[in-house]
Amino acid sequence: MNPATAPEAAGLIASLLFIFGLKRLSSPRTARSGNMLAAIGMALALGGAFLLPGMGHFGLIFLAIALGAAPGWLLAKRVKMTAMPQMVSLFNGMGGACALFISLGEWAGGGADERAWGRALPTMLGVVLGSISFTGSLVAFGKLQGLMPEKSLRWPGQKLGNALVVIVIVVSCAIVPSSGSKMWILIPAACALWLGVAQVLPIGGADMPVVISVLNSCTGLAAAVTGFAMGNMSMIIAGTLVGAAGSLLTVLMCKAMNRSLAKVIFGSFGAPAGAAAAVQGDHVMREIAASECAIMMGYARKVIIIPGYGLAVAQGQHLAQELDELLEKRGVEVKYAIHPVAGRMPGHMNVLLAEADVPYTKLFDMEEINPEFSQADVAIIIGANDVVNPAARTDPASPIYGMPILDADQARNVIVIKRGRGAGFAGIENGLFFNPRTRMLFGDAKKVLQDLVTEVKAL
């Protein structure tokens, strides 16, 4: 192979591996191999970069690789499933930062031809999109990690201020190519860094999964336009794949939450104090003992388990799987109902249950499982709340009205494992908890599941 064409060949093969890897991520069965294919592709793309004409400073490059790989590997190995959403947000922010600094470097090192509009536009887009993704992802990380309040943080004139910042960014980007100093690029960069913070701070924790998806798309677009600025085909293809995947995921999540993207970015999810409509019924939560619950499930024909973020926090997935096995040995049919936005990010519950060796064939999406709730003897809800709230179907005054939910209230009996009596993640009271067919089993999900396992074994 001609050494001059080696980088292009490596980039082409890497791009194909990215595409095949992304395709295999669509199924839990093939996700591991898909991730490995994409990793091999990234290694090829990186290796091809070393063969580019004029490459130098290899010592500094290897030092940078080591500085990034070591903490990345350690964090990925040690992260808990409950912290995966903020890990994704943090890594996404680092991708935005890379696009920002690469674009700034291209601008600082370019000649007069780099300042022509055809070359300047991708560079400036890389700076702006990378900046927004960087700071916006850091704010999302802080909210999910508990470093700052998850609730919506607003201030007077916030929307007007953000609009003015956008205007400054557009005007300054129009001026930069014809300016006499390369330092002008720092004006849209600084404004975009602030815009990322100002736009994400007012968004409540319940909308964070959608925000992370939007920012992921933004990072992909930043990488793609940076690839145009550098003439790097691998970056263009990889960035376009990430941007397109993030955009499609955002659309799917907004549909699953019955939320428009505009309402997520410019609105707030939770109801203002006193704005939520009153829950119908007697407002009495009927409690049940673990022994009674075990009898109810042990002699049932069909049980549907609905996992939520509370299960992830308690790390109770292995006990849920053990309870599942015990019930199946007694002839009970057990299935898992997975809402698209259960947990803090798409696929959170699927990965959590896969970690406990729950067969993929037992995991059912909302559209598949909803018709079966009416035939279920028991629906057991473990740490989920908003995704089973009937107000989404029945209460036009509710902030979640119209959001597709799991029809747990259609089951003959409903068991809710819940730490306390408070409202869900979105801050909305759940009328299902007062339903005459619902029984509450209060306590930490892991401890309660352990009690249920013990009681079922004793039947």
Side-chain angles (χ1 to χ4, degrees):
M1 180 184 292
N2 187 337
T5 61
E8 287 79 2
L12 176 61
I13 297 172
S15 300
L16 292 173
L17 289 173
F18 292 152
I19 295 170
F20 291 137
L22 185 62
K23 172 61 178 175
R24 295 186 71 80
L25 287 175
S26 62
S27 168
R29 294 182 183 277
T30 58
R32 185 184 294 270
S33 62
N35 196 40
M36 185 59 66
L37 283 175
I40 294 171
M42 183 58 70
L44 269 176
L46 190 61
F50 283 99
L51 303 176
L52 289 170
M55 282 293 291
H57 305 289
F58 292 113
L60 291 174
I61 293 174
F62 282 115
L63 176 62
I65 291 173
L67 289 174
W73 184 84
L74 287 172
L75 288 170
K77 290 288 288 184
R78 296 180 181 180
V79 65
K80 295 180 180 180
M81 272 307 303
T82 50
M84 191 61 71
Q86 47 263 52
M87 173 68 73
V88 170
S89 186
L90 181 62
F91 283 176
N92 184 64
M94 295 304 101
C98 288
L100 165 63
F101 288 117
I102 291 173
S103 297
L104 288 175
E106 284 293 304
W107 183 259
D113 61 321
E114 298 288 339
R115 302 174 72 177
W117 259 105
R119 301 293 298 275
L121 183 59
T123 304
M124 289 187 293
L125 284 174
V127 168
V128 172
L129 293 175
S131 298
I132 294 172
S133 176
F134 174 44
T135 53
S137 296
L138 290 184
V139 173
F141 167 78
K143 282 177 174 276
L144 292 172
Q145 188 66 18
L147 301 178
M148 59 179 64
E150 288 187 348
K151 65 180 182 180
S152 174
L153 299 176
R154 296 182 176 276
W155 54 91
Q158 176 250 331
K159 291 183 179 179
L160 176 60
N162 287 358
L164 292 174
V165 171
V166 171
I167 292 172
V168 172
I169 290 173
V170 173
V171 172
S172 60
C173 284
I175 295 173
V176 163
S178 58
S179 65
S181 172
K182 292 183 177 181
M183 299 299 290
W184 278 92
I185 193 71
L186 296 179
I187 294 177
C191 290
L193 287 170
W194 166 247
L195 186 62
V197 175
Q199 200 61 47
V200 178
L201 271 178
I203 300 174
D207 280 332
M208 274 303 115
V210 181
V211 173
I212 292 173
S213 183
V214 172
L215 292 171
N216 185 55
S217 178
C218 189
T219 297
L221 293 174
V225 294
T226 303
F228 276 109
M230 297 178 63
N232 188 310
M233 187 59 65
S234 297
M235 285 187 68
I236 294 172
I237 294 175
T240 303
L241 287 172
V242 173
S247 299
L248 289 172
L249 183 59
T250 300
V251 171
L252 292 174
M253 291 181 67
C254 286
K255 181 180 178 182
M257 298 169 67
N258 193 39
R259 300 271 286 154
S260 69
L261 183 59
K263 286 185 178 179
V264 172
I265 300 300
F266 301 110
S268 58
F269 189 86
V279 173
Q280 302 297 317
D282 55 15
H283 262 70
V284 174
M285 291 186 181
R286 299 160 179 84
E287 296 188 44
I288 190 173
S291 56
E292 297 175 82
C293 183
I295 292 172
M296 189 183 292
M297 291 192 297
Y299 292 98
R301 290 175 301 168
K302 185 173 188 174
V303 172
I304 298 178
I305 298 174
I306 302 173
Y309 188 66
L311 177 67
V313 171
Q315 289 290 291
Q317 63 269 28
H318 296 280
L319 286 167
Q321 188 269 344
E322 186 178 354
L323 178 63
D324 168 3
E325 285 190 345
L326 289 171
L327 292 174
E328 287 215 324
K329 287 179 181 178
R330 297 181 59 86
V332 181
E333 181 185 8
V334 181
K335 294 184 176 182
Y336 293 80
I338 311 296
H339 192 277
V341 293
R344 296 287 182 88
M345 63 184 295
H348 196 173
M349 292 299 108
N350 303 69
V351 176
L352 187 80
L353 295 170
E355 184 184 43
D357 296 322
V358 175
Y360 303 131
T361 53
K362 286 189 174 185
L363 308 183
F364 293 87
D365 293 333
M366 179 175 60
E367 291 80 6
E368 297 176 287
I369 199 68
N370 267 349
E372 299 191 34
F373 276 106
S374 59
Q375 293 108 42
D377 296 298
V378 180
I380 180 166
I381 301 167
I382 310 175
N385 195 324
D386 302 313
V387 298
V388 294
N389 192 337
R393 289 198 312 264
T394 61
D395 185 4
S398 173
I400 62 170
Y401 181 69
M403 169 180 162
I405 61 166
L406 293 166
D407 295 334
D409 57 324
Q410 303 299 317
R412 297 184 181 95
N413 297 280
V414 180
I415 305 295
V416 179
I417 297 176
K418 197 172 185 296
R419 188 186 296 271
R421 297 173 180 266
F425 193 39
I428 304 165
E429 197 168 34
N430 192 339
L432 177 63
F433 301 159
F434 311 115
N435 190 306
R437 288 182 284 120
T438 300
R439 295 295 181 270
M440 308 297 294
L441 194 50
F442 290 111
D444 177 80
K446 189 172 185 178
K447 182 182 183 304
V448 171
L449 287 169
Q450 182 62 71
D451 293 341
L452 288 176
V453 166
T454 302
E455 293 292 344
V456 171
K457 286 180 178 179
L459 290 177

